[in-house]
Amino acid sequence: MAGWERLQETVRLELQQRIEEGCQPGRLAEKLAAAGSDEGKLMEVYRELMELPVAADFPYEEPSDLASIRRLRPGGPRKLVVNWTPEEWRDRFYGAWLGRSVGCALGKPLEYWDYLYGKDGRTGWENIELWFRGADAWPITGYTPEYSTARAEYGLGLSDWSFTSTREKISYMESDDDIRYTVLGLMLLEQKGLDWDSWDIGKLWHGHLTYSQVCTAETQAYMNFAGETSHLHGEKPEDWLLRQERVRMHLNPYREWIGAAIRADALAYGAAGNPELAAELGWRDASFSHVKNGIYGEMFNAAMISAAFAGLDNERIVEIGLSEIPQTSRLAGDVRTGIAIAQEAGSERELVSRLWDRFSHYDPVHTNNNAAIVAASLIYGGNDFEKAVVTSVSAGMDTDCNGATVGSIMGAKLGAARLPASWTAPLNDLLYADLPGFHPIAISDVAERSYQVFLKIRAELGEQD
């Protein structure tokens, strides 16, 4: 019934989600505790939670429909004037794919409980530092060491989902959901251009992803979508918007977590230099599985990535990202807090410490805390690719997602030729995605395909090459 988690934990997370959304649960926490593992009683609590209204004094306005989102966004450049030569465009698309791969690979072994949540009274960022120090690899200037004295001394470890991304083994970008969704986004735009919506996302996932390849909100939406479609009759029903609510809401307390935010990249590549369009494509995609800040996270990332292709400074890139989401949202407030912390921090250690202290009340794979880390890392890193990516990973929480997003932005901004060979060379221009036709494939090949998609979309919009 529950999908990603047992029902008892799902309802507990829903209680937390409703509180974060501005609801007052009354005595439902006590009722949940009394329900134990009884599914009937748990579902009764769940139904009551879902009927709760947002409190009248909740200080945020957070719609999920595009028209309302746009009504609440601040002013911004909806489209940028970018005049690169074809060779310069290609360099930036290659840089974006390479940067995303570098950041993902650095953070992938660290996507582990010790760095997500902390351990033994230490924060996640402290444990990351201990791991690298225990391998004589601090400060971070290369991929995560496979061996560290911190394992024996502090009981720290590395992710069981990472196999070849350590310093000793890396020779390509191994399969990861952060890369898989980028490939899926490329496939979608190749097949459909701009003619798609959230229904097509469900069909894309069911056609190319196995149930074991999706997590949290994506698991729930994947499972819920199975009840709204069939293999034999795949046409979109007339009441899809009603069905979409069931897909993204039913037993999905993860609907404001980071899953949508990591799906923005290929869509933004297709809308390079056009942040409003990139944000809209992010909205279409995120609306399948997320609401509110979960949607804004993908729109924010998409707009930043799109703007990065114009080679702007990072402060401007982040502001453009914020210009495509409601300024009345929790996410906008949290990102601005992250920016302020980065502007005031005198060192990376001070930066990540303050970010952890301010945002660790969220689940470590929530949208808001990780978006604040991404923004702060970009501000702190400036034009330095390594500094920005390393900071985003050393902050802890969702290390591979944040490293991938920052790497994508910095790669699109700087171009492949300006990325440090010490980071890009170990990948050998190769990625594996666990998707037919992309397992393996040259990173330069998917970059060229993204460039061709970009040209295709410009033609659809009636723009000149």
Side-chain angles (χ1 to χ4, degrees):
M1 175 186 284
W4 176 254
E5 254 288 4
R6 295 185 179 92
L7 183 59
Q8 188 172 16
E9 177 65 5
T10 299
V11 180
R12 185 194 71 78
L13 289 170
E14 186 59 58
L15 172 65
Q16 179 62 34
Q17 170 63 21
R18 295 302 280 158
I19 292 170
E20 291 176 359
E21 288 180 310
C23 300
Q24 297 175 352
R27 301 180 66 86
L28 284 177
E30 297 174 25
K31 191 170 182 179
L32 172 60
S37 59
D38 185 301
E39 288 200 359
K41 293 179 179 179
L42 287 169
M43 287 304 298
E44 181 180 340
V45 174
Y46 176 76
R47 285 189 289 270
E48 290 187 49
L49 284 169
M50 299 309 291
E51 291 171 0
L52 291 174
V54 173
D57 61 350
F58 189 58
Y60 304 98
E61 186 176 355
E62 299 177 330
S64 295
D65 66 287
L66 184 60
S68 298
I69 290 170
R70 285 181 167 173
R71 174 176 59 83
L72 295 170
R73 63 184 175 171
R78 307 305 176 200
K79 189 175 179 182
L80 304 170
V81 177
V82 188
N83 294 310
W84 305 124
T85 66
E87 292 73 22
E88 289 170 327
W89 275 116
R90 284 185 165 96
D91 182 55
R92 290 173 188 274
F93 282 104
Y94 189 27
W97 276 94
L98 275 176
R100 183 157 185 79
S101 298
V102 167
C104 183
L106 172 61
K108 187 171 175 62
L110 301 167
E111 190 183 26
Y112 189 62
W113 306 110
D114 300 348
Y115 317 111
L116 287 160
Y117 294 92
K119 182 176 183 177
D120 296 337
R122 298 182 304 272
T123 63
W125 67 264
E126 288 175 302
N127 287 333
I128 290 174
E129 181 175 331
L130 287 173
W131 185 268
F132 277 83
R133 285 190 182 279
D136 293 324
W138 186 263
I140 300 173
T141 57
Y143 290 105
T144 302
E146 185 170 1
Y147 307 102
S148 171
T149 58
R151 186 183 296 275
E153 189 171 355
Y154 299 101
L156 302 179
L158 296 178
S159 173
D160 295 329
W161 293 352
S162 177
F163 304 99
T164 60
S165 292
T166 56
R167 179 182 64 186
E168 292 80 5
K169 293 180 178 177
I170 191 165
S171 59
Y172 52 84
M173 179 65 237
E174 69 173 304
S175 179
D176 184 85
D177 57 351
D178 291 85
I179 298 299
R180 200 173 301 123
Y181 285 121
T182 312
V183 169
L184 285 171
L186 170 62
M187 293 169 60
L188 178 70
L189 296 186
E190 285 182 329
Q191 294 165 13
K192 292 184 172 290
L194 296 177
D195 186 21
W196 57 274
D197 65 10
S198 58
W199 171 265
D200 298 289
I201 297 300
K203 284 298 184 182
L204 182 74
W205 291 8
H206 274 199
H208 295 282
L209 295 176
T210 68
Y211 185 62
S212 64
Q213 287 177 314
V214 289
C215 305
T216 60
E218 286 68 28
T219 299
Q220 301 305 120
Y222 186 103
M223 181 175 65
N224 292 338
F225 187 66
E228 305 295 342
T229 185
S230 73
H231 288 298
L232 291 178
H233 305 287
E235 63 275 7
K236 182 172 69 174
E238 292 184 0
D239 62 344
W240 166 238
L241 291 181
L242 176 63
R243 293 170 182 263
Q244 177 186 263
E245 277 303 290
R246 294 197 290 265
V247 168
R248 66 187 183 179
M249 291 295 292
H250 182 61
L251 289 175
N252 184 12
Y254 318 101
R255 58 189 178 271
E256 290 193 295
W257 287 18
I258 200 173
I262 71 173
R263 302 182 339 229
D265 294 68
L267 306 179
Y269 299 164
N274 193 338
E276 181 177 56
L277 176 60
E280 179 187 335
L281 299 183
W283 172 82
R284 294 190 208 177
D285 176 71
S287 295
F288 177 73
S289 53
H290 286 70
V291 302
K292 300 181 182 179
N293 294 273
I295 292 176
Y296 311 153
E298 182 163 1
M299 297 179 74
F300 174 63
N301 282 354
M304 287 197 295
I305 295 163
S306 174
F309 279 90
L312 306 174
D313 64 73
N314 287 2
E315 288 80 3
R316 188 63 175 142
I317 289 170
V318 174
E319 284 297 327
I320 290 174
L322 286 170
S323 77
E324 293 297 337
I325 67 172
Q327 56 190 335
T328 57
S329 65
R330 285 167 282 152
L331 180 61
D334 287 337
V335 167
R336 292 205 175 279
T337 297
I339 293 170
I341 290 172
Q343 291 170 336
E344 297 164 2
S347 67
E348 179 188 301
R349 208 168 194 274
E350 179 188 350
L351 173 64
V352 299
S353 175
R354 291 183 60 188
L355 288 170
W356 186 279
D357 290 345
R358 177 62 182 83
F359 294 113
S360 60
H361 64 283
Y362 287 117
D363 190 277
V365 292
H366 197 280
T367 294
N368 289 34
N369 47 359
N370 290 292
I373 289 172
V374 165
S377 300
L378 289 168
I379 300 300
Y380 185 75
N383 290 324
D384 189 325
F385 175 85
E386 179 176 280
K387 185 177 181 181
V389 171
V390 165
T391 300
S392 71
V393 172
S394 63
M397 299 193 200
D398 206 332
T399 51
D400 65 331
C401 294
N402 296 335
T405 298
V406 171
S408 184
I409 291 168
M410 295 298 294
K413 169 184 171 171
L414 298 172
R418 293 175 62 189
L419 301 188
S422 61
W423 287 101
T424 59
L427 297 174
N428 291 302
D429 191 36
L430 193 64
L431 68 79
Y432 286 72
D434 275 328
L435 293 169
F438 297 88
H439 196 77
I441 192 169
I443 299 173
S444 53
D445 284 353
V446 289
E448 175 62 23
R449 288 169 66 168
S450 281
Y451 174 58
Q452 295 302 322
V453 160
F454 163 71
L455 296 178
K456 172 183 176 180
I457 288 176
R458 289 184 67 180
E460 283 189 49
L461 295 172
E463 299 174 1
Q464 296 295 319
D465 291 348

